[in-house]
Amino acid sequence: MELLRRSLLTLSVALMTIVQTGAQDFVKKKDAFQKSYIQEATGEYLGAITSLKDVYDEKSYEINIRLGWLNYSAGNFTESRAYYNKAVALMPYAVEPRFGLVYPLAALGNWTEVIAQYEKILEIIPNNTIAMHRLGLIYYGKGDFESAKKLYEKVVNLYPFDYDGLTMLAWTYFRLNNTREAKVLFQKALLNTPNGTSAVEGLDLLK
């Protein structure tokens, strides 16, 4: 019985130590995050990065995604990509780190990877209009108007009175020489935003 009592006492002390250490680690981590937010607000991106590196844990999704953003803001695009990729690996079905990852990828000119990330987001959340709109912009810029049209048609079907969706679908139809459809959509866009520059410009070209 004495041996059992001592064993339980030892276990109790060990558990208490773990709890106390965990609480201390959390406070240290929280303070590092708070400090990084203050530094970011004043443009001290490198200082904010250092604050989080002081408590870095490669298994922490929160630290990795935060370092991804801070490094992007500091212009460290390669480092930003690496941290965002770690966040993606930790939470593969989260779209949050993928939306972040596209920023350094675009800055590095890796458009194939940018497209792949948006396609993955749409695989996870098929009707995500932000991903559809941005991917549509990429295809439009590449001159792949058929691919852009498919995406913008989905956006407009989900948000029939959205100015940006209506305008981009109208421009896509215009590029495909579907002038009648383009005119109708430009007009609808102007019902949302009567002085919308892009829609006004489109209608002027159709006169």
Side-chain angles (χ1 to χ4, degrees):
M1 287 298 292
E2 180 62 22
L3 179 62
L4 177 60
R5 187 185 68 81
R6 290 181 179 179
S7 297
L8 290 173
L9 180 61
T10 301
L11 178 60
S12 177
V13 171
L15 289 173
M16 186 175 295
T17 301
I18 292 172
V19 170
Q20 290 175 340
T21 301
Q24 291 170 353
D25 288 345
F26 171 73
V27 171
K28 186 177 180 181
K29 184 185 295 184
K30 181 177 71 69
D31 289 345
F33 268 86
Q34 183 175 14
K35 185 177 180 181
S36 79
Y37 293 128
I38 294 171
Q39 291 169 313
E40 180 189 8
T42 58
E44 299 177 63
Y45 300 117
L46 295 180
I49 291 168
T50 299
S51 295
L52 287 180
K53 281 187 173 180
D54 287 342
V55 294
Y56 184 68
D57 176 2
E58 65 179 1
K59 295 181 180 180
S60 170
Y61 168 83
E62 295 79 12
I63 293 177
N64 279 300
I65 195 170
R66 178 85 176 122
L67 284 172
W69 170 250
L70 289 171
N71 275 281
Y72 170 75
S73 300
N76 302 327
F77 304 131
T78 301
E79 291 84 349
S80 173
R81 177 179 60 183
Y83 283 115
Y84 274 124
N85 274 325
K86 289 180 181 179
V88 169
L90 289 166
M91 300 289 287
Y93 295 105
V95 299
E96 180 181 46
R98 296 181 188 277
F99 271 120
L101 179 56
V102 296
Y103 288 112
L105 290 177
L108 291 167
N110 295 336
W111 292 104
T112 299
E113 291 185 49
V114 171
I115 290 172
Q117 288 303 318
Y118 281 131
E119 288 178 342
K120 184 62 180 180
I121 290 170
L122 290 172
E123 180 183 319
I124 297 169
I125 307 178
N127 289 329
N128 188 290
T129 54
I130 294 175
M132 285 191 285
H133 187 87
R134 292 180 182 177
L135 185 55
L137 283 175
I138 295 171
Y139 284 134
Y140 185 92
K142 290 164 64 72
D144 185 353
F145 302 120
E146 284 293 342
S147 294
K149 183 184 76 169
K150 292 177 183 177
L151 290 163
Y152 285 122
E153 284 179 341
K154 290 181 180 179
V155 172
V156 171
N157 280 332
L158 290 166
Y159 292 90
F161 198 45
D162 175 72
Y163 177 82
D164 292 330
L166 288 167
T167 303
M168 282 309 304
L169 182 57
W171 277 112
T172 303
Y173 278 140
F174 177 82
R175 298 300 181 187
L176 292 169
N177 295 315
N178 296 334
T179 56
R180 187 182 66 82
E181 293 87 346
K183 181 177 181 179
V184 171
L185 290 167
F186 280 133
Q187 290 174 335
K188 287 186 177 183
L190 288 175
L191 293 179
N192 178 292
T193 307
N195 295 318
T197 304
S198 183
V200 169
E201 179 185 344
L203 278 179
D204 286 342
L205 291 174
L206 289 170
K207 288 180 179 179

